[in-house]
Amino acid sequence: MDPERKIINVVGAAIVTNGTVLCAQRGPGKSLAGYWEFPGGKIEPHETARQALHREIEEELLCEVEVAEEVCTSEYAYDFGTVRLTTFVCHLIAGTPHLTEHTDIRWLNPADMPTLNWAPVDREAVAIIANKQLTLR
């Protein structure tokens, strides 16, 4: 990897309810518009990955989650920088997800998740979850 390339550390939430996983479609006007992703965002300098994810889900989806086990950390070199994404399984504990930054959300069975057009950095976590390499409750 180019040492001059900007690294963007982000977190994503695979929010699980009743065996289904929340998938979110990026809104227009954003980078990677139209791609599907696990909701989340950038880790601020004073935060751990888990703290950042809890904050981002409250801000983006207006609900509260319990951050559970880590799925994986993936990297992808986009034209704007290299995104390093750590994805966690999360459990919805309060509220209902609302669209504030995304154009669509869907609750899918893990096996159906690969049918969506995922952002490249999310694809490793999608494959792990879809192949039931995690226990979803």
Side-chain angles (χ1 to χ4, degrees), residues 24 26 31-38 76 78 85 116-126:
R26 292 182 63 84
S31 61
L32 305 171
Y35 279 102
W36 290 83
E37 67 175 0
F38 294 114
Y76 190 84
Y78 294 100
L85 168 68
L116 299 178
N117 187 19
W118 288 87
V121 77
D122 287 273
R123 292 175 186 163
E124 181 180 358
V126 169

Side-chain angles (χ1 to χ4, degrees), residues 1-67:
M1 182 174 21
D2 181 350
E4 300 296 312
R5 195 159 177 82
K6 183 169 130 183
I7 303 286
I8 305 162
N9 290 302
V10 298
V11 285
I15 302 172
V16 177
T17 300
N18 299 321
T20 60
V21 181
L22 184 133
C23 309
Q25 189 174 35
R26 292 182 63 84
K30 305 183 125 222
S31 61
L32 305 171
Y35 279 102
W36 290 83
E37 67 175 0
F38 294 114
K42 291 181 185 168
I43 302 171
E44 299 297 336
H46 65 281
E47 293 176 314
T48 66
R50 290 173 182 273
Q51 289 169 333
L53 190 53
H54 195 267
R55 174 187 54 76
E56 286 284 351
I57 296 306
E58 285 184 343
E59 290 174 6
E60 274 187 28
L61 297 175
L62 308 176
C63 60
E64 189 173 346
V65 295
E66 169 198 352
V67 180

Side-chain angles (χ1 to χ4, degrees), residues 53-114:
L53 190 53
H54 195 267
R55 174 187 54 76
E56 286 284 351
I57 296 306
E58 285 184 343
E59 290 174 6
E60 274 187 28
L61 297 175
L62 308 176
C63 60
E64 189 173 346
V65 295
E66 169 198 352
V67 180
E69 67 267 30
E70 183 176 322
V71 177
C72 64
T73 298
S74 306
E75 285 188 11
Y76 190 84
Y78 294 100
D79 57 357
F80 55 82
T82 297
V83 173
R84 181 179 294 142
L85 168 68
T86 302
T87 304
F88 292 87
V89 169
C90 294
H91 303 286
L92 192 59
I93 57 174
T96 301
H98 290 81
L99 293 174
T100 63
E101 296 187 15
H102 295 92
T103 57
D104 193 10
I105 55 174
R106 294 183 191 167
W107 292 97
L108 294 181
N109 288 317
D112 296 330
M113 291 170 41

